[in-house]
């Protein structure tokens, strides 16, 4: 995409968080304005690249857990983003090719990319939807053609809720999603926090104010509140690397632990 003209209706001169995140992950789905803004974030938060990768690693571990241990066979990934590899369906289909995944995003560039990438991938659907209107997401005919809401589902809100402002009342939005799905359903969530390195986190977030979506930093209590009505699975709400790291080399884990976290993550289950 880097050298292509942007699709109609897209202003490539305004940095966009999905494409900045793609740049952090080493992708090519970004324009000059995205790269410049991402470089400004990297100046105050050099960890941003590694954090994006760790966030993806958390997502993969959570999906594996849900398929192998929790019997989840349907995922609704809201705020899909642009990552080219290691998407939810790829991780899940390694374990069970019948797993169904609905990818939801409000960004037309993300949707165009996802549709191109997923054409031919069975058991997936791409849906335009906004987390601020959860009922519309779950009522979407495309989503409903694949996802059976009478059966447990995993809702993924990975690195997306921090794009909602306080006025958006994210805890209420998550509760509306929770109330629309059956017991045994799960929530997978990660969120930027200013608990550590508050100053740098705020400087990094300030760069996003010049993008087409701002970031709202939240503390542990606020992020914990998003899991209201869910039982948090062990180990609870933790830094990205601490969520069931499995058999990862303990020395590597120790080295990572010395880096500031910036993110908290967790997986909850509706009892
Ligand atoms: C940082 S990316 C995260 C991608 C992926 N979930 C991950 O963690 O790797 C955030 C994504 O959320 C999307 N997003 C932001 N606000 C949204 C909203 N209100 N509704 C739906 N998607 C949204 C953006 O377009 C972007 O693709």
């Amino acid at each position: 995409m880097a050298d292509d003209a942007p699709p109609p209706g897209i202003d490539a001169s305004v940095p966009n968080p999905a494409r900045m995140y793609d740049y952090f992950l080493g992708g090519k789905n970004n324009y000059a304005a995205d790269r410049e803004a991402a470089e400004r974030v990297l100046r105050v938060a050099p960890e941003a690249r590694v954090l994006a990768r760790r966030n993806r690693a958390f997502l993969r571990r959570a999906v594996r857990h849900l398929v192998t241990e929790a019997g989840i066979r349907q995922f609704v990934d809201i705020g899909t983003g642009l990552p080219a590899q290691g998407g939810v369906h790829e991780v899940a289909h390694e374990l069970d090719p019948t797993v169904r995944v609905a990818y939801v995003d409000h960004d037309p560039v993300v949707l165009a990319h996802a549709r191109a990438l997923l054409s031919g991938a069975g058991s997936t659907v791409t849906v335009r939807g906004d987390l601020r209107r959860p009922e519309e997401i779950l009522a979407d005919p495309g989503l409903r053609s694949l996802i059976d809401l009478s059966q447990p589902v995993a809702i993924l809100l990975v690195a997306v809720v921090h794009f909602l402002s306080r006025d958006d009342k994210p805890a209420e939005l998550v509760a509306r999603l929770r109330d629309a799905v059956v017991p045994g359903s799960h929530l997978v969530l990660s969120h930027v926090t200013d608990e550590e390195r508050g100053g740098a986190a705020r400087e990094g977030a300030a760069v996003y104010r010049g993008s087409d979506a701002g970031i709202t930093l939240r503390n542990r209590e606020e992020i914990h509140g998003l899991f209201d009505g869910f039982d948090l699975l062990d180990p609870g709400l933790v830094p990205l690397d601490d969520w069931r790291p499995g058999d990862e080399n303990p020395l590597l884990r120790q080295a990572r632990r010395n880096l500031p976290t910036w993110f908290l993550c967790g997986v909850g289950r509706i009892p």
Side-chain angles (χ1 to χ4, degrees), residues 18-215:
R19 301 193 301 259
M20 290 165 67
Y21 183 71
D22 173 71
Y23 179 75
F24 293 142
L25 285 171
K28 296 205 174 344
N29 297 303
N30 45 72
Y31 299 109
D34 307 312
R35 295 190 285 277
E36 280 157 24
E39 287 293 342
R40 284 210 302 284
V41 174
L42 287 168
R43 281 202 283 282
V44 287
E47 311 85 350
R49 276 187 215 282
V50 77
L51 282 172
R53 288 190 167 75
R54 292 188 205 176
N55 182 57
R56 295 298 299 173
F58 158 67
L59 172 73
R60 289 194 291 271
R61 293 197 303 278
V63 169
R64 278 192 205 105
H65 165 79
L66 292 173
V67 175
T68 54
E69 311 282 328
I72 292 291
R73 291 294 174 271
Q74 351 183 61
F75 289 82
V76 178
D77 179 16
I78 305 178
T80 296
L82 288 160
Q85 277 157 11
V88 176
H89 72 287
E90 289 170 279
V91 178
H93 287 174
E94 277 174 16
L95 302 163
D96 180 348
T98 69
V99 169
R100 302 180 300 284
V101 183
Y103 288 110
V104 184
D105 209 288
H106 71 164
D107 184 318
V109 174
V110 168
L111 292 167
H113 176 81
R115 289 200 176 107
L117 203 70
L118 295 173
S119 71
S123 319
T124 65
V125 68
T126 306
V127 172
R128 180 168 197 168
D130 193 313
L131 179 52
R132 287 166 290 196
R133 293 191 294 279
E135 288 80 11
E136 280 178 28
I137 292 178
L138 294 180
D140 182 275
L143 182 139
R144 293 300 276 271
S145 69
L146 196 67
I147 305 291
D148 175 1
L149 292 179
S150 71
Q151 297 298 314
V153 57
I155 295 169
L156 310 188
L157 298 179
V158 182
V160 60
V161 177
H162 45 245
F163 293 109
L164 299 180
S165 69
R166 297 201 195 290
D167 288 346
D168 289 326
K169 302 196 171 76
E172 283 180 21
L173 297 173
V174 178
R176 277 153 61 188
L177 287 169
R178 179 200 65 209
D179 292 345
V181 297
V182 297
S185 294
H186 286 69
L187 171 67
V188 178
L189 183 140
S190 69
H191 195 296
V192 179
T193 180
D194 55 358
E195 285 237 313
E196 280 188 50
R197 302 268 319 267
R202 283 190 286 278
E203 278 183 61
V207 176
Y208 281 85
R209 282 202 285 279
S211 78
D212 56 14
I215 280 193

